[in-house]
Amino acid sequence: MATDYGYDSGLGFPETVRRHRVPAGLRAPFEGRTWREFGYVLLSLPISVLMFTYAITMISLGAGLLVTFLGIPVFAAGLAGCRGLGALERARARGLLGLEVGDPEPLRMRKSGFMAWIGAVLKSGTSWRTLLYSVLHLPWALFSFVVSVNFWVYGWALLTYPLWFWVFPAYVGQDGLQLYGDETHHIYLDNPFEIGVTALVGLLFTLATPWIVRALTTVDRVMVHGLLGPTRLSARVVELESDRGVVVDTAAADLRRIERDLHDGAQARLVALAMDLGLAKEKLTEDPAAAARMVDEAHGEVKTALQELRDLARGIHPAVLTDRGLDAALSAVASRCTVPVQVEVDLPARPAPAIEGIAYFTVSELLQNISKHSRATFAAVDVWRVENRLMLQVVDNGVGGAEVSSGTGLTGLAERLDAVDGILVVDSPAGGPTRVTAELPWRSERV
């Protein structure tokens, strides 16, 4: 029996995957997953009765009291209780079914106070979906309970019939399990052949039951995920809020970097330049040769400061990118790389300026990593469009070993791409080569 590690997509959480010699159909009745799912079905009936009773009672009471002021608070309390029971159901689904379901969006109250809470509960879609789940789940839980219990009981009873058929002649007064009977005819399962066939039928029931239970709990998974989990809209809102935080943090980090580069680079040189020119001015009448030499040195400092300012501006948003697009801008970046870089850009049109800027920044950062860390002798940059995605790929023949999760610059790059629904994939085995692929949403320049 070999063992490796993987992701059990059916159960929903990572676990050890064992390569058994016994087929899955024969193992299923004895696996932990089967018994967890069966336990989920058994617990569903009493819990569903509780949820159904609570929901109908509270909503009916609230509806009956709507003619008075008490109806609305009772109605809101009933919905809040359903939300609490929904949290219990999500926890039960995570524990027994391994279902990865997130919590729905919390109540959003613009003001504080009891009336604001009532309004938030009544306006929340989560409250009404949980109420719907409380009502709809009872008939399904009853059906699942009856089917599962009957298949389990009859399957194991028939499978073990050869072990307990003697009970009938000893204590019941009949030859065996009665298959058919009326006033004149009776058929009992009492000879070895019939007992063997009965056990075989029980074996078939026993082997089929785990898959039946699995199919039944699949419906439960859909109901929990669809009615008790977050909606696509709310999940998207949470994702956008997270991305907005990343964008704000990135912008703040860029501003701090620009300020630091200006303070430590060009600003310091300009201060030194002003001091040198002041000294040259004082020596102009006394020692013209020394003054000329100091002015010449100051001229060199001006050139250096201008070059630093150009590099800083190019790091923010180069003029060549605005004027001529990605092809020319990436070629300019590649020319400054310490290794030969082949650039190929195949785009039918220019993307939106924001997407174009992120694409430029991504390739620029990756080429800087190649220059600093890869020890490569060759690199290639490819940019193309696939349907509504802008694809970037940077390849080098360096030593490899790059990882997104290692907390390096690739981590920040992945976060920057994720903020605009982009993806960064790094394939960099030890010894190389390294292949970094980035995807960005395509938006045309007009947008």
Side-chain angles (χ1 to χ4, degrees):
M1 179 181 68
T3 302
D4 57 8
Y5 296 89
Y7 186 86
D8 186 353
S9 58
L11 185 55
F13 48 77
E15 65 173 14
T16 303
V17 180
R18 297 181 176 85
R19 299 175 183 174
H20 292 271
R21 296 179 180 177
V22 181
L26 297 179
R27 298 195 318 267
F30 309 100
E31 289 183 331
R33 171 182 177 175
T34 299
W35 291 101
R36 286 193 297 268
E37 291 176 340
F38 184 58
Y40 182 90
V41 172
L42 293 181
L43 290 174
S44 290
L45 182 58
I47 293 178
S48 296
V49 170
L50 172 64
M51 295 181 65
F52 182 88
T53 303
Y54 173 82
I56 294 300
T57 301
M58 294 298 293
I59 300 305
S60 300
L61 180 60
L65 293 175
L66 282 178
V67 294
T68 68
F69 177 76
L70 294 177
I72 295 178
V74 171
F75 213 79
L79 291 176
C82 289
R83 291 174 66 101
L85 293 173
L88 172 64
E89 282 293 273
R90 287 192 298 273
R92 190 166 68 95
R94 294 188 192 107
L96 295 178
L97 299 183
L99 179 64
E100 294 294 335
V101 56
D103 294 330
E105 66 277 9
L107 293 177
R108 298 182 179 271
M109 297 188 296
R110 296 182 179 179
K111 300 179 181 180
S112 59
F114 182 65
M115 296 305 298
W117 176 81
I118 291 177
V121 171
L122 294 177
K123 292 178 182 178
S124 174
T126 302
S127 303
W128 297 100
R129 291 197 307 272
T130 309
L131 173 64
L132 182 62
Y133 176 88
S134 301
V135 175
L136 294 181
H137 194 249
L138 176 61
W140 175 252
L142 179 61
F143 174 79
S144 301
F145 182 89
V146 172
V147 171
S148 300
V149 170
N150 276 281
F151 267 88
W152 270 121
V153 171
Y154 279 104
W156 285 103
L158 296 178
L159 178 61
T160 59
Y161 181 63
L163 303 177
W164 57 272
F165 79 96
W166 55 270
V167 172
F168 290 94
Y171 298 100
V172 182
Q174 62 186 41
D175 295 334
L177 185 64
Q178 184 174 337
L179 182 62
Y180 171 78
D182 56 22
E183 297 180 355
T184 58
H185 297 86
H186 299 279
I187 300 178
Y188 298 102
L189 303 175
D190 54 357
N191 61 59
F193 174 76
E194 293 173 346
I195 293 174
V197 171
T198 302
L200 179 61
V201 172
L203 177 62
L204 296 178
F205 271 66
T206 303
L207 295 179
T209 299
W211 306 102
I212 295 174
V213 174
R214 190 164 301 177
L216 294 173
T217 54
T218 299
V219 178
D220 286 284
R221 288 184 172 92
V222 173
M223 293 181 68
V224 172
H225 193 277
L227 295 177
L228 300 182
T231 62
R232 291 185 178 180
L233 178 60
S234 63
R236 181 61 176 163
V237 169
V238 173
E239 180 182 358
L240 290 177
E241 289 178 346
S242 175
D243 291 345
R244 181 181 62 183
V246 173
V247 171
V248 171
D249 294 340
T250 302
D254 289 341
L255 288 175
R256 289 193 299 269
R257 177 181 58 83
I258 294 170
E259 181 183 10
R260 183 179 63 252
D261 291 344
L262 285 174
H263 183 272
D264 298 341
Q267 181 179 347
R269 290 188 180 277
L270 291 175
V271 171
L273 173 63
M275 296 175 63
D276 292 341
L277 289 176
L279 293 175
K281 181 180 178 181
E282 294 178 357
K283 290 181 176 293
L284 185 61
T285 56
E286 300 176 357
D287 190 356
R293 186 174 59 254
M294 295 178 69
V295 170
D296 185 64
E297 292 176 355
H299 184 256
E301 289 292 325
V302 169
K303 290 182 178 179
T304 304
L306 287 176
Q307 183 61 41
E308 290 181 353
L309 289 175
R310 290 193 192 100
D311 293 340
L312 181 61
R314 188 182 295 114
I316 299 173
H317 194 87
V320 65
L321 177 62
T322 303
D323 298 337
R324 300 173 57 190
L326 272 176
D327 195 354
L330 295 182
S331 297
V333 172
S335 66
R336 297 192 299 271
C337 189
T338 58
V339 301
V341 181
Q342 178 182 344
V343 178
E344 183 174 348
V345 178
D346 183 14
L347 296 177
R350 293 185 63 174
I355 299 300
E356 197 174 51
I358 295 176
Y360 171 84
F361 178 82
T362 300
V363 175
S364 178
E365 286 290 310
L366 293 175
L367 291 181
Q368 287 184 24
N369 288 342
I370 291 175
S371 298
K372 295 177 181 178
H373 309 295
S374 70
R375 287 182 279 174
T377 59
F378 175 78
V381 176
D382 291 326
V383 182
W384 71 99
R385 177 183 175 182
V386 177
E387 296 180 352
N388 62 341
R389 305 292 285 181
L390 175 63
M391 307 295 296
L392 313 171
Q393 190 171 87
V394 179
V395 183
D396 69 78
N397 62 348
V399 296
E403 294 182 1
V404 176
S405 59
S406 59
T408 59
L410 290 176
T411 304
L413 199 58
E415 292 176 350
R416 184 185 290 259
L417 292 177
D418 184 65
V420 293
D421 291 336
I423 301 173
L424 184 72
V425 179
V426 178
D427 180 17
S428 181
T434 297
R435 184 183 304 272
V436 181
T437 305
E439 291 186 21
L440 288 166
W442 176 273
R443 291 195 290 271
S444 65
E445 190 174 8
R446 290 190 298 273
V447 177

